[in-house]
Amino acid sequence: MKNKTSFVPREGEARPSRCPDNSAFKQQKLPAWKPQLTIATVLSSFFLTGAFCLSVGVCLILSANSVREIQIDYSDKCSDCSKLREDSSSWNKECYCSINFTLKEDILGDVFMYYGLQNFYQNHRRYMISRSDAQLLGRNVNVQKSYCAPFTTYRNGTPMAPCGAIANSMFNDTIGLFYNLNSSVTQVPLLKTGNSWWTDKNVKFRNPKSYNLSSAFAGTASPPYWQKPVYLLDEEDERNNGYVNDDFIIWMRVSAFATFRNLYRRVRRIRQFTDGLPAGNYTFRISYNFPVSKFKGRKHVILSTVVWSGGSNPFLGIAYVVSGTAATLTGFVITTIHLNLRKRKAYFQK
């Protein structure tokens, strides 16, 4: 082991200095710009900020108000089905309800259909972590070592696919839209794919690799509240099954609030719906499967358009208006204080 020796300068030699070099950079003498906080610069910054926020806020509010939206609460209108679903022994019985409504004016442009839930708390900590991201990537994992408990395996040891409380509580009402013209009834064509985020569809969710999905999920079972296995979520489109099903992906992105809406379908702009939804009589035909009365919840179905700023939520515009008003009022207060001080200064200098 080598001995550590300290440096001892010889007689007559200067001890090395620990000071930094005498350069502008190391001595922190580089030229720098420092703002001069004069009354003119302070007031102009407040008034310019206020004018900018007010103008942006007004534009956002006007844009949000231009969104055409119709929202229907069907919690009570489907009360018979709701009572049926509260009975656990009737889980396999189908129940349908119809809701009629009228559009007095055309809804032009792209029309989006949402389902809304009220008083459903997805932001509970244990609920949010009750999932297995590795399993959703198509990997062969031991779900008992994940955060999915108690929705991991059945009593006979069969693992659940997908596991966790989020997947088990997936919204499973089926909503159809029908256009009633004179004596004929036309089903409005709806798009069920292309509604999720690209990163979710192509990065975060993948199916297990196999020659078909049924064999890929062999040896597993669907969660207790599901009526179909995961590989049959969309019986019309094989590419929209398994973990890459759009409805499943959208549900797995949990909400931060107890009242929220998720995108369900988009109106396909063909035939008489090329320009959107024409005015007239419509009917929602709902297959009621998702019970909400036990937690005093409500269910809605929403038809809405979107604009450049998003949907009909005016919160961002109101926030800009409040910030702009606060900045402008602060500017006026500073101006008043400055004028009073200047008058006092001029009085005492006489």
Side-chain angles (χ1 to χ4, degrees):
M1 186 174 181
K2 295 183 179 179
N3 295 327
K4 296 182 179 179
T5 56
S6 59
F7 174 78
V8 179
R10 297 178 181 179
E11 186 177 355
E13 291 183 355
R15 183 180 295 274
S17 175
R18 298 175 62 87
C19 296
D21 296 337
N22 189 19
S23 61
F25 177 75
K26 293 188 176 181
Q27 294 296 335
Q28 300 182 11
K29 295 180 180 179
L30 291 174
W33 177 81
K34 297 180 180 180
Q36 300 296 326
L37 298 179
T38 63
I39 188 63
T41 57
V42 171
L43 289 178
S44 60
S45 62
F46 272 104
F47 285 121
L48 288 176
T49 301
F52 172 77
C53 290
L54 285 173
S55 59
V56 173
V58 170
C59 291
L60 289 174
I61 292 176
L62 293 176
S63 176
N65 291 335
S66 66
V67 174
R68 295 290 311 281
E69 179 176 300
I70 178 172
Q71 178 172 314
I72 296 176
D73 187 333
Y74 66 95
S75 305
D76 297 331
K77 296 180 180 180
C78 298
S79 57
D80 293 339
C81 292
S82 178
K83 294 178 182 179
L84 181 67
R85 284 291 169 258
E86 294 302 328
D87 185 4
S88 59
S89 62
S90 60
W91 63 271
N92 58 345
K93 297 180 181 179
E94 294 186 356
C95 188
Y96 293 91
C97 61
S98 298
I99 302 171
N100 299 320
F101 65 98
T102 302
L103 291 181
K104 296 181 179 179
E105 298 179 357
D106 297 343
I107 299 182
L108 302 178
D110 294 328
V111 183
F112 299 83
M113 181 188 293
Y114 301 85
Y115 63 84
L117 290 177
Q118 184 177 344
N119 206 36
F120 190 92
Y121 289 85
Q122 286 189 314
N123 55 5
H124 192 281
R125 184 185 65 85
R126 293 188 63 184
Y127 179 88
M128 293 178 63
I129 64 174
S130 183
R131 59 188 292 166
S132 174
D133 292 325
Q135 184 193 47
L136 298 177
L137 282 171
R139 300 173 184 171
N140 187 13
V141 296
N142 185 1
V143 294
Q144 290 184 340
K145 296 182 179 180
S146 65
Y147 293 103
C148 290
F151 302 100
T152 54
T153 59
Y154 287 93
R155 293 181 179 179
N156 59 2
T158 304
M160 298 182 189
C163 68
I166 306 177
N168 181 60
S169 61
M170 177 181 168
F171 182 85
N172 57 350
D173 282 1
T174 303
I175 306 172
L177 181 60
F178 296 85
Y179 177 46
N180 307 318
L181 181 61
N182 299 327
S183 58
S184 63
V185 178
T186 304
Q187 185 172 5
V188 179
L190 301 174
L191 295 172
K192 62 177 68 175
T193 57
N195 300 324
S196 59
W197 293 11
W198 185 92
T199 51
D200 288 348
K201 187 81 170 181
N202 298 276
V203 179
K204 294 185 178 181
F205 293 83
R206 295 178 182 176
N207 285 324
K209 293 182 179 180
S210 182
Y211 63 92
N212 59 38
L213 277 183
S214 60
S215 62
F217 290 98
T220 64
S222 58
Y225 290 172
W226 283 31
Q227 298 174 336
K228 299 178 181 179
V230 65
Y231 54 87
L232 290 179
L233 290 178
D234 188 352
E235 298 180 3
E236 299 176 358
D237 188 355
E238 295 181 356
R239 297 172 298 178
N240 191 36
N241 271 316
Y243 298 147
V244 295
N245 176 265
D246 274 47
D247 293 338
F248 173 72
I249 291 175
I250 292 173
W251 178 258
M252 293 299 291
R253 183 175 288 275
V254 297
S255 172
F257 302 99
T259 299
F260 61 93
R261 63 176 62 179
N262 285 336
L263 181 59
Y264 182 67
R265 297 290 184 267
R266 291 176 294 130
V267 174
R268 188 179 181 185
R269 299 175 64 176
I270 58 174
R271 299 193 298 272
Q272 64 262 51
F273 308 104
T274 303
D275 299 326
L277 291 179
N281 298 321
Y282 289 84
T283 300
F284 281 124
R285 191 168 187 265
I286 301 171
S287 174
Y288 198 104
N289 300 304
F290 194 86
V292 295
S293 58
K294 284 189 176 180
F295 56 88
K296 298 180 181 180
R298 310 290 297 180
K299 292 194 293 186
H300 306 83
V301 57
I302 305 108
L303 292 175
S304 176
T305 60
V306 295
V307 290
W308 62 271
S309 59
S312 62
N313 190 354
F315 173 78
L316 187 59
I318 294 174
Y320 267 102
V321 169
V322 172
S323 301
T325 303
T328 304
L329 291 177
T330 304
F332 281 117
V333 171
I334 295 175
T335 301
T336 304
I337 295 174
H338 171 69
L339 293 177
N340 290 335
L341 291 176
R342 191 168 65 175
K343 288 181 180 180
R344 287 186 182 182
K345 186 177 181 181
Y347 175 79
F348 286 112
Q349 286 180 351
K350 290 183 179 179

